Amino acid sequence: MNIPNKITVSRICLIPLFVIVILFDFGWGTIELFGAEMPVNHLLGGLVFIIASTTDWIDGYYARKYNLVTTLGKFLDPLADKLLVSAAFIILVELDMAPSWVIIIILSREFAVTGLRAILAGEGEVVAASQLGKIKTWAQIVAIASLLLHNTIFTLIGIPFDIIALYVALIFTIWSGWEYFYLNRHVFVNSK
């Protein structure tokens, strides 16, 4: 368990804190931030989400810089991303801040790619996240953060950046899912 893997595990450990802060009303009231009014727990939950998401970049950078890329890390990193992003998307649907059909498509892709990774792992192949997969993850993170923070800043200029970001994330999610299955189609072609 090297340092990048410990950072990845810390991301997983932040998920329950994020869920508790965002979902439970502690009576903290509301706050206005750059034109957007939101419950304080949404602001704090959004900040916890952003901190947890930042660890994705930190663990990857550290692993590559110090040549600490491991099979465990290749497995844990995308799993941690999927757990965090799935929790956030489900919360956004519960709070009626994102359309459920978009989230169903996004989560379906995540489960499908996880299943594909499991099949490949059974054949001795460990698939690291592709560049398109990384773009997808960051597009999702930006969309989630902007939704959780009630379109802060962009509310001032009347641009629904949060919703635009969500649909951009949807496009990258579908595109990267297609790429994973296309590049690994040999699993299905050669199956018996």
Side-chain angles (χ1 to χ4, degrees):
M1 181 67 77
N2 60 26
I3 291 174
N5 291 342
K6 288 179 182 176
I7 294 170
T8 301
V9 169
S10 76
R11 181 159 68 254
I12 295 170
C13 292
L14 283 172
I15 296 169
L17 176 63
F18 163 67
V19 171
I20 290 167
V21 169
I22 199 93
L23 285 181
F24 293 97
D25 182 5
F26 294 100
W28 294 331
T30 60
I31 186 171
E32 186 172 322
L33 188 64
F34 300 107
E37 187 174 332
M38 71 189 85
V40 172
N41 63 314
H42 288 196
L43 172 63
L44 295 176
L47 293 175
V48 171
F49 176 82
I50 291 167
I51 291 166
S53 299
T54 304
T55 66
D56 182 37
W57 179 82
I58 294 169
D59 63 17
Y61 172 79
Y62 198 90
R64 285 185 298 277
K65 182 174 180 176
Y66 295 103
N67 197 27
L68 296 171
V69 176
T70 64
T71 301
L72 178 63
K74 288 179 184 179
F75 169 75
L76 277 181
D77 186 61
L79 177 64
D81 293 340
K82 284 175 180 30
L83 291 172
L84 177 63
V85 165
S86 295
F89 276 135
I90 291 167
I91 286 169
L92 287 168
V93 170
E94 181 174 335
L95 297 174
D96 201 26
M97 296 173 71
S100 59
W101 71 269
V102 171
I103 306 311
I104 289 168
I105 292 171
I106 290 173
L107 294 182
S108 295
R109 179 267 187 213
E110 300 302 337
F111 284 118
V113 169
T114 298
L116 176 60
R117 285 176 183 271
I119 292 168
L120 290 168
E123 295 184 359
E125 295 180 53
V126 176
V127 181
S130 70
Q131 193 61 37
L132 192 55
K134 291 176 185 179
I135 293 169
K136 176 271 308 177
T137 298
W138 282 101
Q140 290 177 351
I141 288 168
V142 168
I144 291 166
S146 60
L147 286 161
L148 289 173
L149 297 177
H150 294 248
N151 203 37
T152 296
I153 298 175
F154 294 98
T155 301
L156 291 173
I157 53 177
I159 297 175
F161 176 81
D162 53 351
I163 299 301
I164 293 167
L166 179 63
Y167 287 107
V168 168
L170 176 64
I171 290 166
F172 278 109
T173 298
I174 293 168
W175 186 8
S176 66
W178 177 85
E179 179 192 52
Y180 271 108
F181 278 90
Y182 181 76
L183 293 176
N184 295 291
R185 66 190 178 280
H186 65 275
V187 170
F188 304 102
V189 173
N190 299 331
S191 67
K192 296 178 183 174

